[in-house]
Amino acid sequence: VLVAYIFDDIELAIKMVEKCIEMDERISFFKRGSIQGFVLDSEITFLYGLTSLAQARKVKEDIWKRRGHEFVKKVKNLAKDYPSSYQHKLLLLEAESAFNAGRKSIASEKYEQAVTLSRKNEFVQDQALCCELAGKFYAEHDNKYKASHYYGKAHELYLEWGAKGKADYLRENFPF
């Protein structure tokens, strides 16, 4: 799911998330109480929120906006219980939601906070994603300086994480 999302194949990411949810419903009996089940479920929740908000921005359909907000609420609950693991993810979802709603100053603030917190809590992969999405936001709003800064930082972080293919993709497809 993450690979489809970070390579901008939102439709595939959505199909994969929906398949994961369908499979989860079938096997939830076997994984009740397991830490692996919790981590998978919570990561799918975050990714479904991101994919829904990206799809809402792309196709302008309310169903995706509603789904995005539904998953923002779920991640908000995770952030209350596990702030060092989920607060930066919540901030990123809130930034994306504000981006969709045209609330530029709120989106900018949330992206900055998401980048800072993911760095503080040492989630390199999430910091890279936060930087990339901030770059997209600033590019969309014609702030070439900030877009370039965040795309460049995302590129560095993807390399640090070991995602050379994604770093190359970013370099080849986005301005920085």
Side-chain angles (χ1 to χ4, degrees):
V1 177
L2 179 60
V3 172
Y5 179 82
I6 66 174
F7 280 97
D8 293 319
D9 192 341
I10 303 304
E11 289 83 9
L12 178 60
I14 288 169
K15 287 178 186 174
M16 293 173 78
V17 167
E18 289 174 346
K19 187 58 102 175
C20 286
I21 290 170
E22 180 185 316
M23 287 174 33
D24 182 59
E25 289 170 357
R26 290 182 187 163
I27 63 171
S28 64
F29 173 79
F30 298 106
K31 64 178 189 165
R32 278 193 193 118
S34 88
I35 191 68
Q36 294 91 349
F38 171 76
V39 171
L40 178 62
D41 288 348
S42 57
E43 199 61 23
I44 292 297
T45 297
F46 169 64
L47 290 171
Y48 204 11
L50 278 179
T51 56
S52 295
L53 292 169
Q55 187 72 347
R57 188 165 47 250
K58 183 177 178 182
V59 299
K60 311 279 191 256
E61 293 176 4
D62 282 343
I63 187 168
W64 296 109
K65 183 178 171 183
R66 284 193 305 274
R67 283 185 186 169
H69 290 295
E70 174 187 331
F71 285 94
V72 169
K73 288 178 188 175
K74 290 179 180 188
V75 173
K76 189 175 283 192
N77 289 331
L78 290 166
K80 285 178 192 172
D81 294 335
Y82 310 98
S84 63
S85 296
Y86 292 96
Q87 188 64 38
H88 66 279
K89 292 178 182 191
L90 173 61
L91 289 164
L92 183 58
L93 288 171
E94 290 173 340
E96 288 286 283
S97 182
F99 180 6
N100 287 358
R103 297 184 315 232
K104 294 178 191 178
S105 63
I106 292 171
S108 178
E109 180 182 314
K110 297 287 185 176
Y111 284 119
E112 301 284 339
Q113 291 172 344
V115 169
T116 299
L117 202 52
S118 58
R119 178 180 57 243
K120 177 184 173 207
N121 292 325
E122 301 179 3
F123 285 94
V124 174
Q125 72 281 15
D126 292 342
Q127 186 185 357
L129 182 59
C130 291
C131 287
E132 180 182 357
L133 294 178
K136 247 182 218 181
F137 166 75
Y138 288 116
E140 180 90 9
H141 290 94
D142 294 323
N143 187 331
K144 293 177 184 175
Y145 175 78
K146 280 197 170 184
S148 179
H149 167 76
Y150 279 108
Y151 279 133
K153 188 67 180 165
H155 180 264
E156 291 171 19
L157 290 162
Y158 281 125
L159 287 174
E160 182 181 332
W161 184 38
K164 186 181 178 322
K166 174 58 183 181
D168 291 346
Y169 176 82
L170 197 63
R171 185 178 31 77
E172 293 166 6
N173 292 283
F174 296 95
F176 66 93

